[in-house]
Amino acid sequence: MNIKNKVVIVTGASSGIGLATATLLAKRGVKVALVARSIDKLRNISKELPESFPICADMTKEDEIKMMVRKTKNHFGRIDVLINSAGQGYDAPVEKINIETYRTMFNLDVVGPLVAMQSVIAIMKKQKEGVIVNISSGTALMALPNMSPYSSVKAALASISLTAREELKKDNIHVSVVYPYMTLTDFEKNTIKDTEENQAEPEEGKGPLRPPDTPGYLAQKILEGIENNDAEIFAHDWMKKMIR
Ligand SMILES: NC(=O)c1ccc[n+]([C@@H]2O[C@H](COP(=O)([O-])OP(=O)(O)OC[C@H]3O[C@@H](n4cnc5c(N)ncnc54)[C@H](OP(=O)(O)O)[C@@H]3O)[C@@H](O)[C@H]2O)c1
């Protein structure tokens, strides 16, 4: 899809990958609906991004997600692209996963994007075109100790995305999944940890071999993935070899 002049919803637009993507898209002439809970942050960001529209919504709340989609449609008149970037991590060994915390993560990282997808699909079908991009994680492709709560929800999101892609081809709606590598955002700070101190950190000398990406780098990958209609958008080509 040529993104110029299109209407794009970006969830998680107050920080990190969502913010970088919204900023890049606005520079390319896109009308962006900026979605997150921190409305003051979004209002300030919106002042810098021409034609953007800040909307406060908690992506764990079905009624707020539906309201957010309605507000975007009412404001811009259409919705061409949905980018589900809002999310949070949760690290714990399988034995110690707190079930309530896991349910909350599942709600945010899987159910929220799913509700947003369902809400825009109806609109996109009427428009006879659309793009949906879900931000999963490279961890969805791996089996890393302590990361099963996060990798499992991101694997679920990837599975929903790729299945929806097959189902919606006939409606000219293209669904993509993004696998970021470690990216320099507030993600690590916001990750809930039920691990022993430092347990989730790599052992000395066995740390990641590659430096983390900037959110701007990933935003560029997302834009290219939308323009090329890629099913899977990998932060790096070497990640393709990690698919289980
Ligand atoms: N950074 C990485 O290394 C990395 C790697 C792989 C995948 N990812 C994925 O990339 C996506 C973006 O993460 P990030 O790195 O940009 O992290 P971040 O800087 O922590 O940003 C997270 C965003 O999600 C929003 N958010 C969190 N809970 C929300 C809720 N209940 N309702 C609405 N919005 C909510 C936050 O906004 P508010 O707090 O204002 O609501 C914020 O805008 C996530 O899905 C994450 O899982 C990140």
Side-chain angles (χ1 to χ4, degrees), residues 11-19 35-39 41-42 57-61 84-89 108-109 135-139 150 154 157 178-188 190 215 218:
T11 76
S14 63
S15 173
I17 294 166
L19 173 57
V35 181
R37 293 166 302 179
S38 317
I39 188 65
K41 268 195 202 170
L42 292 181
D58 184 333
M59 292 298 292
T60 62
K61 300 200 170 129
N84 274 314
S85 185
Q88 193 178 359
L108 174 61
D109 290 338
I135 313 297
S136 173
S137 166
T139 60
Y150 182 62
K154 289 299 188 178
L157 183 63
V178 182
Y179 304 106
Y181 176 59
M182 280 194 302
T183 310
L184 292 169
T185 67
D186 287 342
F187 177 78
E188 194 54 33
N190 293 331
L218 199 72

